[in-house]
Amino acid sequence: MSVPFWLWAATIGGLIVLLAIDLVIVDRKPHEVTTGEAARWVVFYVACAVAFGAGVWLLAGHDPGVEFFTGYITEYSLSVDNLFIFMVIMASFKVPAIHQHRVLLIGIVIALAMRSVFIAIGAWAIAQVVWIFFLFGAFLIFTAINMVRQKDEDEEYHENLVTRLTRKAFRVTDDYEGHHSIVRKNGKRYLTPMALVIVAIGSADLLFAVDSIPAIFGITQEAFLVFTANAFALMGLRQLYFLLGGLVSKLVYLSQGLAIILAFIGVKLVLHALHEYHVTPAWLEINNWMSLGVIVVVLTVTTVASLAKAKRDPSVVGQSGLNLNAAAPEERADDRPASDDER
């Protein structure tokens, strides 16, 4: 698949326009995102991804089209597992409900920029050496095993290294200052907790990318498809956050389902590498249609089984005690801008 520079530029430009529209329409006036509003935006972003995938299918052929859709579904499903961590971060920092959309928007833009670096490095490594597929495959299988082993561990947020370094390197106010990330007090610049939570969201997603990027390279080695699948998945993620809410805690078998998907892709990568070294016969390699079918079936069975289990036995539902709509006590009721002394 040959992707000219103008297509890269047009695609990135289109994604920027989508983000700008979201920022202007949704975040023009900070407010608590309703379920109905989130549902409409999720449908919009899924429709954009489907339209883009259809364009790839028509212009580049069915193989790249299937690869895009498979990669998109994989990235989106892996992102759902990350929503719970985002909820924990939001609750830990007591982010006011009216500002949660802005936090997710900026954090995910930062995450996409950092993921682009990972994608570029991965594409370069794959083009240089075949054995990198063994490394990616082994890592995914190892990650899948760990996901199953750690399924009973408590989910509690601890600030990662990036967030801790940010807190040490800059002065941080004790209270939120409306939607501002930086304020000036007594002639000195301060970060606000809003800036810290954005850093926490962005850096947390970067850690998630460590397994999701190798996973999608197991589906397609075309950097353009890897980037766009990640972009559409991340852009729809923040609206999915408001739509699903507490439903995420009811997906009790999600980790097991994602572990099966990661292990499956890991095996696919290993088989692909063995095929490149002419060790295995051609029929043993897993094709794109089989990958798409396995992923869709696993996600469907996982979701249905999880909801059925949660309905039969409510005690299995995650009891995080999170109130996602709780505003910080210090939040201004009228969300007024910071004063001149604060700017």
Side-chain angles (χ1 to χ4, degrees):
M1 181 177 176
S2 177
V3 182
F5 174 78
W6 68 264
L7 184 55
W8 272 101
T11 301
I12 294 174
L15 293 173
I16 292 174
V17 169
L18 285 177
L19 289 171
I21 291 174
D22 197 344
L23 182 62
V24 171
I25 295 177
V26 179
D27 209 50
R28 177 179 55 185
K29 182 179 180 181
H31 64 285
E32 183 178 342
V33 178
T34 64
T35 301
E37 182 183 5
R40 290 190 293 272
W41 278 102
V42 167
V43 171
F44 171 75
Y45 278 115
V46 170
C48 288
V50 171
F52 181 86
V56 172
W57 193 305
L58 293 174
L59 298 177
H62 70 277
D63 283 342
V66 172
E67 289 176 0
F68 171 80
F69 283 117
T70 307
Y72 171 69
I73 293 172
T74 301
E75 290 298 304
Y76 215 176
S77 61
L78 288 172
S79 297
V80 171
D81 194 38
N82 303 338
L83 286 182
F84 182 74
I85 303 300
F86 289 173
M87 293 174 185
V88 174
I89 292 174
M90 292 286 197
S92 177
F93 282 92
K94 297 183 175 63
V95 181
I98 62 173
H99 297 316
Q100 289 181 5
H101 180 271
R102 177 182 288 266
V103 168
L104 287 172
L105 178 62
I106 299 176
I108 286 175
V109 168
I110 294 173
L112 181 58
M114 293 188 295
R115 282 195 182 202
S116 299
V117 176
F118 273 30
I119 292 169
I121 294 173
W124 173 84
I126 287 173
Q128 300 301 313
V129 290
V130 175
W131 56 260
I132 197 71
F133 288 107
F134 286 119
L135 182 62
F136 282 179
F139 177 76
L140 290 179
I141 294 172
F142 175 76
T143 301
I145 294 172
N146 278 344
M147 287 182 71
V148 174
R149 286 179 174 176
Q150 297 173 2
K151 65 180 183 298
D152 294 326
E153 293 185 0
D154 293 333
E155 294 284 357
E156 183 179 350
Y157 176 68
H158 300 283
E159 290 189 2
N160 57 37
L161 178 62
V162 177
T163 309
R164 292 199 304 271
L165 290 177
T166 302
R167 189 184 289 276
K168 289 182 179 180
F170 300 94
R171 292 180 289 267
V172 182
T173 63
D174 294 328
D175 304 333
Y176 283 90
E177 303 287 345
H179 66 271
H180 300 282
S181 299
I182 303 175
V183 295
R184 183 183 292 275
K185 291 186 175 183
N186 301 321
K188 298 180 180 179
R189 291 186 181 275
Y190 287 79
L191 295 184
T192 71
M194 185 71 70
L196 283 183
V197 72
I198 289 172
V199 170
I201 292 288
S203 55
D205 185 83
L206 183 62
L207 295 177
F208 301 149
V210 173
D211 55 38
S212 67
I213 296 301
I216 194 170
F217 271 117
I219 295 167
T220 176
Q221 288 80 59
E222 176 54 57
F224 180 73
L225 298 180
V226 173
F227 171 77
T228 51
N230 268 272
F232 281 109
L234 285 176
M235 289 172 66
L237 177 61
R238 64 190 182 283
Q239 302 297 346
L240 197 64
Y241 171 92
F242 298 104
L243 178 62
L244 293 183
L247 181 62
V248 174
S249 62
K250 295 183 180 180
L251 300 178
V252 294
Y253 295 131
L254 181 61
S255 293
Q256 291 91 328
L258 294 178
I260 292 173
I261 291 174
L262 289 179
F264 170 76
I265 297 175
V267 171
K268 179 183 177 181
L269 282 169
V270 172
L271 290 176
H272 176 75
L274 291 173
H275 178 70
E276 291 293 318
Y277 283 112
H278 306 289
V279 175
T280 57
W283 61 265
L284 191 56
E285 196 164 11
I286 301 172
N287 61 39
N288 295 329
W289 285 104
M290 185 181 297
S291 298
L292 179 59
V294 169
I295 291 170
V296 169
V297 169
V298 170
L299 288 177
T300 301
V301 172
T302 297
T303 302
V304 173
S306 294
L307 296 179
K309 177 67 172 178
K311 184 177 181 179
R312 291 195 310 269
D313 184 7
S315 64
V316 303
V317 177
Q319 299 177 358
S320 60
L322 302 181
N323 183 1
L324 303 181
N325 296 323
E330 302 84 0
E331 176 65 8
R332 297 181 178 88
D334 59 353
D335 189 36
R336 63 175 178 81
S339 65
D340 293 337
D341 292 336
E342 293 172 329
R343 295 183 188 278

